[in-house]
Amino acid sequence: MQLSDKKVTLSFSDGSEPVELPVYSGSIGPDVIDIRKLYGSTGMFTYDPGFLATASCESSITYIDGDKGELLYRGYPIEQLAQKCNFLQVCYLLLNGDLPDAKQKEEFESLITRHTMVNEQMQTFLSGFRPDAHPMAVLTGLVGALSAFYHDSTDINNPEHRHISAVRLIAKMPTLVAMAYKYSLGQPTIYPLNSLSYTGNFLRMMFATPTEEYEVNNVVERALDRIFILHADHEQNASTSTVRLCGSSGTNPFAAIAAGVGCLWGPAHGGANEAALQMLENLQANGGIENIGKFIAQVKDKTSGVRLMGFGHRVYKNYDPRAKLMQETCKEVLEALGLEDDPLFKLAMELERIALEDEYFVERRLYPNVDFYSGIVQRAIGIPTTLFTAIFALARTVGWIAQWDEMLSDSNHKIGRPRQLYTGSPARNVP
Ligand code: ACO
């Protein structure tokens, strides 16, 4: 970051001395006011619950311009990455800062492929869960448990240890998600197969059985790979900030990522795609397209408590660029699977058309977000709704680990320790 010529002066109505605060500029996007010395010079904290106006770190990984509807990974627009790269190239980019050349791509793919197996003792750990446990509960446990297996690489001050931990996490996450799924079905775990791509391998671990050959469908593989790319990182969102905060204490990467999985689980974050699909299914069961008008009226009525799920975003106040790509993928997958007439997709398209013409949504700058179509794609592929958030976690692992690594490499990093405005009782004596 660069010190700007601009300065901010804070003045106080009680006549206290004004305080001058430095301003820093990034490469693009809003400047930041440096308030690190504020408490020392004024005895005051700032108050910003939900971090609405607070930059918690400096980062060069992902950039979002919510007004323009722009998302960049290491400077590359998400549209170009989704069209020209596969997920592992995007992983390499997020971890290393640049896209791999042909040799680096091959080496990275081979490295990840050779780390997809998990220690067989993880099976024992898995079998401790109830079969009807939510996949996110299982995943939080399994990811945390990895820290008990890799004592050889938990020195967070050693860049090589950080690198191998990143590789292990990216490689093993599909294995763990598929293990959790198979366990819920009562089916045996399908071990990874090194001849398949990262995403093809995941599909096989999810849907193959020991009794039959499984052939990876290329359109489905490409669609899921794109879902992974679109969810790979999203700058300082809640789960990424959780991973950074957890990792800031110096804990091992597996524990930090397990914290991220726990945060993602919440319906306000990773759980929204599940909610969007449920909304479409409910609408379909209650009159479908014929009933859209009534449903939209309900959404606009603030007393109804009904929201158009998959619409609106805290940062994107223009189209979410990931939603356009997801809509494209949705069409491709449904066509490839002979589901062109999928009533939910038709319903979603019609809902989008009506909402985008409606004054209520236009005025509030509400557009479809990535979750509006991703549930339809996953459902068509055969992924159960309860697994949607685990798929999101699988994809976001690279973003979490890249951000964690960036934090530890930053000489300004400190343990995260927010302050508070205390409103409880002043000191008093126990009677
Ligand atoms: N349906 C109907 N009205 C909405 C919606 C919606 N989906 N989203 C926002 N609004 C309205 C609000 O009622 C509010 O109206 P008002 O100004 O008359 O009070 C206005 O638009 C602003 O909404 P806020 O909730 O203040 O916006 P915020 O930025 O805090 O919320 C959020 C963003 C949480 C995503 C919201 O749009 C929402 O709840 N959407 C539906 C859930 C969803 O799809 N979440 C996925 C997000 S993407 C992701 O996490 C990967």
Side-chain angles (χ1 to χ4, degrees):
M1 60 186 179
Q2 226 184 341
L3 191 60
S4 155
D5 296 339
K6 237 184 294 175
K7 281 205 168 25
V8 166
T9 306
L10 257 188
S11 53
F12 301 89
S13 56
D14 66 356
S16 313
E17 275 293 296
V19 176
E20 208 165 73
L21 298 167
V23 172
Y24 289 97
S25 302
S27 42
I28 38 175
D31 292 345
V32 298
I33 304 167
D34 181 352
I35 56 162
R36 281 176 292 183
K37 299 224 163 75
L38 187 72
Y39 179 60
S41 47
T42 67
M44 280 188 226
F45 299 137
T46 54
Y47 178 65
D48 185 19
F51 297 97
L52 296 184
T54 298
S56 62
C57 62
E58 181 186 344
S59 181
S60 59
I61 301 177
T62 293
Y63 175 75
I64 303 172
D65 185 326
D67 289 320
K68 281 207 258 169
E70 181 177 65
L71 169 61
L72 309 176
Y73 291 166
R74 300 284 192 184
Y76 294 112
I78 190 69
E79 293 83 357
Q80 293 180 24
L81 293 169
Q83 271 144 20
K84 298 184 178 174
C85 299
N86 68 26
F87 178 62
L88 283 190
Q89 283 171 289
V90 170
C91 288
Y92 185 98
L93 171 71
L94 290 169
L95 290 174
N96 299 294
D98 275 310
L99 281 166
D101 59 26
K103 186 163 172 276
Q104 288 164 331
K105 176 175 179 285
E106 199 187 316
E107 282 170 2
F108 186 67
E109 283 176 354
S110 152
L111 183 67
I112 296 289
T113 305
R114 281 186 286 102
H115 281 89
T116 46
M117 264 170 57
V118 296
N119 190 299
E120 196 60 17
Q121 269 183 291
M122 289 294 274
Q123 293 287 351
T124 320
F125 192 79
L126 181 68
S127 62
F129 285 99
R130 289 167 53 120
D132 63 353
H134 193 284
M136 287 299 279
V138 178
L139 196 61
T140 313
L142 294 183
V143 174
L146 288 180
S147 51
F149 291 89
Y150 300 109
H151 298 295
D152 62 335
S153 61
T154 48
D155 176 3
I156 58 154
N157 298 313
N158 182 332
E160 279 173 27
H161 281 208
R162 296 210 296 269
H163 177 66
I164 193 62
S165 299
V167 167
R168 283 177 171 149
L169 274 157
I170 294 166
K172 294 180 199 308
M173 208 61 167
T175 314
L176 298 181
V177 173
M179 274 168 75
Y181 176 54
K182 286 298 196 188
Y183 183 68
S184 74
L185 297 178
Q187 291 185 5
T189 296
I190 301 294
Y191 291 107
L193 187 63
N194 285 2
S195 56
L196 295 177
S197 72
Y198 183 84
T199 305
N201 193 24
F202 175 63
L203 282 166
R204 184 176 166 276
M205 290 190 289
M206 286 280 293
F207 300 120
T209 61
T211 50
E212 270 177 38
E213 286 296 315
Y214 176 83
E215 208 161 303
V216 176
N217 175 318
N218 291 340
V219 177
V220 169
E221 180 184 9
R222 180 70 204 142
L224 194 57
D225 202 73
R226 182 176 272 194
I227 290 182
F228 292 165
I229 293 173
L230 300 185
H231 288 89
D233 196 42
H234 215 224
E235 51 119 306
Q236 307 313 318
N237 57 87
S239 56
T240 301
S241 299
T242 299
V243 169
R244 279 186 177 258
L245 190 61
C246 184
S248 76
S249 72
T251 191
N252 74 76
F254 304 101
I257 300 299
V261 175
C263 178
L264 188 76
W265 191 357
H269 191 7
N273 50 12
E274 199 174 324
L277 189 74
Q278 272 159 4
M279 173 197 76
L280 290 173
E281 283 174 344
N282 285 343
L283 187 54
Q284 182 62 19
N286 290 295
I289 287 187
E290 304 298 306
N291 227 4
I292 288 184
K294 210 166 136 202
F295 177 68
I296 293 277
Q298 235 181 351
V299 167
K300 291 176 357 185
D301 172 9
K302 288 288 160 62
T303 60
S304 74
V306 177
R307 279 203 168 192
L308 183 50
M309 298 311 285
F311 252 70
H313 197 276
R314 171 59 65 78
V315 182
Y316 294 116
K317 297 302 174 193
N318 196 322
Y319 215 91
D320 176 345
R322 301 168 303 171
K324 271 189 193 150
L325 295 159
M326 196 52 83
Q327 195 203 59
E328 211 177 274
T329 296
C330 199
K331 271 191 197 142
E332 267 171 38
V333 168
L334 295 176
E335 260 173 45
L337 299 178
L339 300 169
E340 300 87 338
D341 293 328
D342 181 65
L344 284 198
F345 183 57
K346 287 198 165 156
L347 190 61
M349 298 268 286
E350 187 58 10
L351 251 182
E352 177 182 342
R353 188 188 67 73
I354 293 175
L356 292 183
E357 283 172 2
D358 193 296
E359 197 53 30
Y360 175 94
F361 295 91
V362 175
E363 240 175 37
R364 290 170 179 77
R365 304 173 74 194
L366 300 171
Y367 296 89
N369 59 52
V370 66
D371 290 327
F372 197 61
Y373 290 103
S374 72
I376 302 176
V377 180
Q378 295 192 62
R379 177 174 158 274
I381 292 175
I383 295 170
T385 320
T386 51
L387 214 68
F388 286 3
T389 318
I391 303 275
F392 191 162
L394 183 171
R396 184 54 59 83
T397 295
V398 62
W400 289 332
I401 202 77
Q403 300 262 357
W404 168 82
D405 185 60
E406 179 180 68
M407 174 188 72
L408 293 174
S409 313
D410 181 349
S411 56
N412 278 329
H413 112 264
K414 284 186 185 314
I415 183 169
R417 189 6 179 133
R419 307 304 288 254
Q420 64 170 10
L421 177 66
Y422 177 69
T423 52
S425 166
R428 53 182 165 162
N429 294 318
V430 176

